[in-house]
């Protein structure tokens, strides 16, 4: 069966609640603020939304269910997406089908997390059963160590160098200097990148994202709803997700995008050459390279040459992570899975708050999440178009 | 190549000792099977009873066929390193004080991909022998060893976090009056122990073998609270391995054949003696479990397999040995990161087992087993054919074994 397209589905009211390194507030405070801000931006009251979708790592025993009572919502459509870096695109996919089918008219998609001085360690030690049993007891390196292993394998397989990864980080920092909410605002050059404190070889400080508190949100609705509300909105052209792709690969050198990208571009009736802006999930730069390859911007193993040949800044030859990405803005838990998507909506609807990507009409946003054991299990991507 | 570990340097009295932290302890119930295998030097993983797929990390349900019967089986150890990293900043307090720490991704020839601790001599891309070890929390962890033995490989710092090599350590063997105690003391001395103390109760009594004792005799009578207290006050801060070798074996049953005095003596030796030792030596041992280059590391308890299932011909002794095993099990949880090694023996070749047919365990065999188990960081070793046979029957079905023993 041919998949139905996403005709008539739009995204509006992109919201970022400025991140903080640590917060005395709970996750619900951050999620609630993002929801309130999205509603304010759209001129809506809480009763006007009939769908709610939430992602968070720090809600404790709560899910989206508990938040309905906390926030005074009575939605007729509710979802909770525990998929980390893939949660934004996956939330969008779910919400898009709901509004298309009329199960809901307006779905608020929100991701947010809080951060305390010890919350990251606590989250790591109980991140997943396999992590508790089989990775956390091996040095307590958390994702730094997991991605160090993937980075080491990638470097051995394809000859990538630390300089190649550094180009990604340096360009993103350049983008972040103009983005008001970025936590990392000091200029970064390749020399500083290479001289940084080693964390888990070959990963050093500037390859790692900073855990922080924050939230992101957007609204999903039908095009006519957005028009009636006079909201600038981006169109959803295509979207894919895949979980636990290529289980027989002994170590992860590719993600699920490679299985589904043809369908993604076919749905959107475009090609990699038609993408004006790419927002990848950038925790860590090796995963950015995998996305360049697996989403078809270059062949497998050629991402190192690709980053040498392109200017990845917002005004460059290959605009990428125009807000600075998690590497410079910070990683507010599950909100990291929304950051690129919310930024893409802003860029496509003329609402950029930092560096502007000139002439951005079509954006590709991809997500990657959940190092359950030795590899990231969730991959997702969506193509959005300007109104 | 591993650098040879120098002998212990004199302790710096001004240095704050490293706290006896534990690496991450929490595991799923299924993952505890790793520790059971590691405790006995085995390399076992879950293998699906339906489709034979080897599983790792431990699971509830087969990754290949969704079968739910996943018994633990010994599997081949061969593997190859796919990726390595050296962790320099850890979020865990135990590892934070032990960085840099090397781990790697290893593909096992039997299928699974394992994130493992790496021995220092394991190079990127190398073939390895995978081992299961007990870490300082007593949990089973993967440690990849070089495919070939290398010089000083026992001295690798990450391996030493998981072993209790007696070389360079000071050892107290509690019962210098027994042949087993004397043999174990000699073997530990031969294994490079820095100092061996041999407890001798009532030293004025004749002591067979006194002229050839390995190590120095100290006054220690485990049945006497005051003697244990005085010995701990003198030696408690200077012992890294404690080996309790006291066994008081007398034939005789429950309703007849044993006097109350004998039953009490057996219980004194098997239970109250180790209880006194644990109370007077345990806290100091544990407090020094991460201190210096040769930290305190092990508590060894000798016990009879009859503690697992009673032999009615040795009914009173069996009951006392059940108490001894129960004590060791609780002590194991309390003393972490100190390793509690239980050495299970069958009938020892001594005057109290004259009626038992061979094979019987020789003191030399016990001694070799203790040294080997310490070097590999084990928690359990069954010494000799009788003990191993007994343990296999016990594991197959304890109820059947009890009926076999009833005759």
């Amino acid at each position: 069966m041919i998949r139905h397209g996403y005709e008539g589905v739009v995204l509006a009211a992109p919201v970022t609640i400025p991140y903080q390194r640590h917060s005395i507030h709970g996750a619900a405070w951050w999620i609630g603020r993002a929801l309130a801000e999205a509603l304010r931006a759209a001129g809506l009251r809480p009763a006007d939304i009939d769908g709610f979708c939430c992602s968070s790592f720090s809600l404790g025993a709560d899910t989206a269910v508990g938040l309905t009572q906390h926030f005074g919502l009575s939605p007729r459509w509710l979802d909770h997406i525990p998929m980390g870096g893939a949660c934004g695109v996956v939330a969008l996919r779910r919400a898009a089908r709901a509004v298309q089918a009329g199960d809901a008219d307006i779905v608020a998609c929100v991701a947010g997390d809080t951060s305390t001085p010890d919350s990251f360690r606590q989250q790591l030690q109980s991140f997943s059963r396999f992590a508790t049993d089989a990775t956390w007891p091996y040095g307590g390196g958390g994702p730094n160590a997991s991605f160090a292993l993937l980075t080491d394998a990638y470097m051995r397989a394809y000859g990538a160098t630390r300089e190649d990864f550094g180009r990604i980080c340096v360009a993103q920092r350049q983008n972040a200097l103009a983005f008001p909410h970025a936590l990392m605002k000091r200029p970064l050059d390749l020399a500083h990148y290479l001289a940084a404190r080693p964390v888990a070889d070959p990963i050093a400080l500037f390859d790692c994202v900073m855990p922080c508190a924050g939230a992101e949100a957007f609204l999903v609705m039908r095009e006519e709803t957005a028009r009636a509300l006079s909201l600038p909105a981006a169109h959803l052209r295509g979207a894919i997700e895949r979980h636990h792709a290529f289980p027989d690969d002994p170590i992860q050198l590719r993600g699920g995008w490679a299985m589904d990208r043809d369908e993604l571009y076919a749905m959107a009736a475009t090609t990699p050459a038609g993408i004006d802006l790419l927002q990848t999930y950038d925790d860590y730069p090796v995963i950015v390279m995998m996305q360049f390859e697996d989403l078809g911007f270059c062949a497998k193993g050629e991402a190192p040459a690709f980053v040498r040949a392109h200017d990845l800044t917002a005004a460059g030859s290959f605009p990428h992570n125009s807000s600075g990405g998690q590497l410079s803005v910070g990683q507010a838990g599950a909100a990291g899975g929304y950051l690129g998507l919310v930024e893409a909506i802003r860029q496509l609807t003329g609402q950029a708050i930092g560096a502007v990507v000139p002439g951005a009409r079509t954006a590709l946003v991809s997500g990657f999440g959940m190092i359950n054991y030795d590899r990231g299990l969730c991959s997702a991507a969506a193509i959005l178009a300007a109104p | 190549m591993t650098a040879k570990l120098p002998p212990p340097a004199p302790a710096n009295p001004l240095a704050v000792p490293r706290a006896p932290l534990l690496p991450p302890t929490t595991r799923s119930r299924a993952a505890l099977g790793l520790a059971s295998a590691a405790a006995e030097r085995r390399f076992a993983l879950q293998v699906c009873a339906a489709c034979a797929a080897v599983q790792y990390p431990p699971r509830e349900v087969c990754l290949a066929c969704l079968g739910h019967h996943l018994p633990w089986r010994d599997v081949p150890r061969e593997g190859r390193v796919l990726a390595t990293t050296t962790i320099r900043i850890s979020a865990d307090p135990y590892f934070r004080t032990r960085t840099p720490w090397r781990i790697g991704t290893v593909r096992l020839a039997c299928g699974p991909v394992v994130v493992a601790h790496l021995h220092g001599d394991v190079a990127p891309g190398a073939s390895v022998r995978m081992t299961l070890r007990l870490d300082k929390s007593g949990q089973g962890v993967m440690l990849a060893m070089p495919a070939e033995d290398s010089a000083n490989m026992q001295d690798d710092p990450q391996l030493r976090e998981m072993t209790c090599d007696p070389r360079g350590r000071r050892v107290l063997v509690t019962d210098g009056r027994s042949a087993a105690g004397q043999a174990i003391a000699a073997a530990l001395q031969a294994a490079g122990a820095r100092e061996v103390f041999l407890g001798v109760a009532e030293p004025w009594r004749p002591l067979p073998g006194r002229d050839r004792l390995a190590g120095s005799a100290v006054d220690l009578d485990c049945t006497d609270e005051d003697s244990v207290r005085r010995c701990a006050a003198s030696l408690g801060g200077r012992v890294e391995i404690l080996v309790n070798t006291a066994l008081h074996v007398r034939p005789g049953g429950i309703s007849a054949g044993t006097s109350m005095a004998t039953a009490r003596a057996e219980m004194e030796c098997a239970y109250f003696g180790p209880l006194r030792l644990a109370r007077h030596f345990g806290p100091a041992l544990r407090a020094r479990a991460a201190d210096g280059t040769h930290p305190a590391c092990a508590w060894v308890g000798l016990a009879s397999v009859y503690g697992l299932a009673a032999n009615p011909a040795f009914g009173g002794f069996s009951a006392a040995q059940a108490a001894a095993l129960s004590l060791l099990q609780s002590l194991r949880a309390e003393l972490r990161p100190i390793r509690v090694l239980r050495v299970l023996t069958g009938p020892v070749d001594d005057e109290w087992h004259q009626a038992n047919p061979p094979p019987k365990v020789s003191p030399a065999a016990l001694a070799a087993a203790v040294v080997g188990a310490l070097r590999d960081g084990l928690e359990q070793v069954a010494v000799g054919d009788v003990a191993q046979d007994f343990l296999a029957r016990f594991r197959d079905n304890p109820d059947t074994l009890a009926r076999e023993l009833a005759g």
Side-chain angles (χ1 to χ4, degrees), chain B residues 6-251:
Chain B
N12 174 1
L14 296 178
V16 178
R18 198 159 60 155
L21 301 173
L22 300 182
T25 305
T26 307
R27 295 292 191 281
S28 68
R29 186 171 194 274
L32 300 180
L34 299 169
S36 297
E40 300 186 308
R41 209 188 266 116
R42 290 185 297 119
F43 185 68
L45 294 175
Q46 291 170 304
V47 179
C48 178
C51 77
V54 181
Q55 322 276 324
Y56 188 83
R59 283 173 163 81
E60 309 292 339
V61 164
C62 174
L63 82 168
C65 77
L66 297 181
H68 62 270
H69 186 38
L70 302 175
W72 291 80
R73 300 274 179 258
D74 288 354
V75 296
R77 298 168 178 273
E78 290 73 28
R80 197 170 65 76
V81 178
L82 302 179
T84 68
T85 183
T86 302
I87 297 170
R88 299 182 186 279
I89 300 175
S90 173
D92 175 77
Y94 168 87
F95 287 109
R96 215 176 168 78
T97 48
R98 284 157 180 83
T99 51
W101 190 273
R102 269 181 97 228
I103 64 170
T105 307
V106 176
R107 177 79 185 266
L108 295 180
C110 63
V113 173
V114 171
V115 174
H117 301 298
L118 297 185
H119 185 281
D121 291 341
V122 169
S127 295
V128 295
R129 282 174 295 177
M130 192 60 77
T131 60
L132 275 169
R133 306 277 179 168
L134 295 167
D135 68 11
K136 288 287 183 195
S137 72
Q139 292 294 2
V141 292
M142 297 278 183
L143 172 68
M145 300 287 288
E148 307 291 335
D149 285 354
S150 51
N152 310 317
M153 68 189 296
Q154 280 286 336
D155 289 352
D156 177 68
Q158 290 187 204
L159 175 60
R160 278 179 60 82
E161 284 294 310
M162 299 164 203
T163 59
C164 307
D165 193 339
R167 185 160 57 83
R169 287 188 160 107
R170 295 166 293 192
V171 188
L172 170 63
V173 180
T174 58
D175 187 7
R177 286 200 170 275
S178 69
Q182 292 182 9
I184 288 169
L188 288 166
Q189 200 168 55
R194 179 176 160 197
E195 205 163 356
V196 177
F197 305 105
L198 255 174
V200 177
E202 299 169 340
W204 59 89
R205 275 170 39 209
L207 175 61
R210 188 191 288 273
D211 52 335
R212 49 176 196 281
L213 280 188
S216 41
V218 296
D219 191 349
L220 174 62
D221 179 353
C222 294
T223 67
D224 176 353
E225 176 85 18
D226 199 45
S227 167
V228 176
R229 186 187 55 74
R230 273 184 280 111
C231 184
S234 145
L235 286 185
R238 290 189 285 146
V239 166
E240 283 86 39
I241 297 174
L242 188 149
V243 186
N244 180 30
T245 53
L247 269 184
H248 184 86
V249 190
R250 297 294 181 272

Side-chain angles (χ1 to χ4, degrees), chain B residues 330-341:
Chain B
S330 295
L331 200 58
R332 180 171 290 159
E334 285 177 14
L335 285 190
R336 284 181 301 188
I338 297 293
R339 174 115 338 131
V340 172
L341 164 64

Side-chain angles (χ1 to χ4, degrees), chain A residues 83-86 127 257 281 367-372 375-380:
Chain A
M83 298 187 195
F127 186 77
W257 312 282
Y281 189 79
F368 175 78
M370 308 306 282
I371 304 279
N372 187 60
R375 63 193 70 197
L377 295 190
C378 307
S379 54

Side-chain angles (χ1 to χ4, degrees), chain A:
Chain A
M1 178 182 166
I2 308 279
R3 278 179 63 195
H4 294 287
Y6 290 107
E7 289 76 19
V9 177
V10 298
L11 302 81
V15 166
T16 299
I17 303 300
Y19 294 2
Q20 293 174 9
R21 177 73 178 96
H22 295 128
S23 169
I24 61 170
H25 299 294
W29 188 88
W30 288 93
I31 295 167
R33 275 199 66 191
L35 175 64
E37 187 62 25
L39 293 175
R40 193 198 59 73
L44 297 171
R45 293 165 299 130
D48 296 331
I49 58 165
D50 55 356
F52 178 59
C53 177
C54 168
S55 293
S56 179
F57 288 108
S58 52
L59 277 172
D62 277 348
T63 66
V65 177
L67 293 182
T68 60
Q69 191 167 33
H70 197 138
F71 296 159
L73 304 175
S74 303
R76 58 176 174 149
W77 183 95
L78 185 68
D79 207 348
H80 188 98
I81 313 253
M83 298 187 195
C87 69
V89 172
V90 173
L92 169 59
R93 276 168 53 95
R94 306 282 192 276
R97 293 310 187 192
V99 299
Q100 248 185 344
D103 290 349
D105 293 320
I106 302 176
V107 177
C109 296
V110 190
D113 269 293
T114 191
S115 166
T116 63
D118 195 38
S119 59
F120 190 59
R121 186 188 66 83
Q122 289 175 5
Q123 187 195 319
L124 293 181
Q125 63 190 7
S126 56
F127 186 77
S128 70
R129 159 155 164 176
F130 282 6
T132 298
D133 281 348
T135 53
W136 177 245
Y138 293 81
N144 294 332
S146 297
F147 281 95
L149 293 169
L150 299 184
T151 304
D152 180 60
Y154 185 91
M155 290 170 82
R156 285 175 200 288
Y158 302 122
T161 64
R162 295 252 309 125
E163 285 83 349
D164 297 330
F165 296 120
R167 285 171 207 280
I168 293 169
C169 303
V170 166
Q172 289 192 199
R173 183 59 56 89
Q174 181 66 33
N175 291 341
L177 297 180
F179 188 71
H181 302 329
L183 289 182
M184 269 71 67
K185 299 287 274 185
R186 285 171 64 170
L188 178 69
D189 61 23
L190 205 52
H192 274 94
Y193 169 87
L194 292 172
R197 182 181 178 193
V199 172
D201 305 349
I203 280 179
L205 186 63
F206 294 117
D207 297 302
C208 305
V209 300
M210 183 189 281
C212 61
E216 307 260 349
F218 58 90
L219 303 179
V220 178
M221 61 193 76
R222 290 183 295 278
E223 190 177 0
E224 61 267 27
T225 314
R227 203 177 301 122
L229 294 166
S230 303
L231 283 177
H235 292 261
L236 175 60
R237 295 293 191 219
I240 52 170
E241 71 180 87
R242 179 67 64 172
H243 306 282
H244 195 213
F246 308 116
D248 295 331
D249 287 3
I251 194 161
Q252 186 165 40
L253 297 173
R254 55 181 172 169
W257 312 282
M259 288 181 79
D260 302 298
R261 68 167 182 237
D262 291 348
E263 183 181 295
L264 174 68
Y265 290 116
M267 277 185 98
T270 187
T271 64
I275 302 299
D276 305 318
L277 166 63
L278 175 63
Q279 301 283 352
T280 65
Y281 189 79
D282 60 334
D283 173 14
Y284 295 62
V286 68
I287 299 302
V288 171
M289 288 202 187
M290 285 187 206
Q291 286 162 91
F292 287 173
E293 295 163 353
D294 298 342
L295 289 164
F297 294 97
C298 60
K300 194 74 216 166
E302 290 182 2
F306 186 83
V307 302
R308 281 172 227 147
H310 287 87
D311 176 352
L312 305 176
T313 58
S317 60
F318 189 78
H320 172 247
N321 288 359
S322 46
S323 68
Q326 299 179 81
L327 283 167
S328 286
V329 180
Q331 181 179 62
Y338 270 53
L339 179 145
L341 184 49
V342 168
E343 168 67 6
I345 302 169
R346 279 193 294 254
Q347 291 284 352
L348 294 173
T349 55
Q351 303 180 79
I353 54 176
V356 175
V357 178
R361 301 286 305 162
T362 306
L364 195 162
V365 179
S366 70
F368 175 78
M370 308 306 282
I371 304 279
N372 187 60
Y373 168 48
D374 62 333
R375 63 193 70 197
L377 295 190
C378 307
S379 54
I383 292 177
L384 309 182

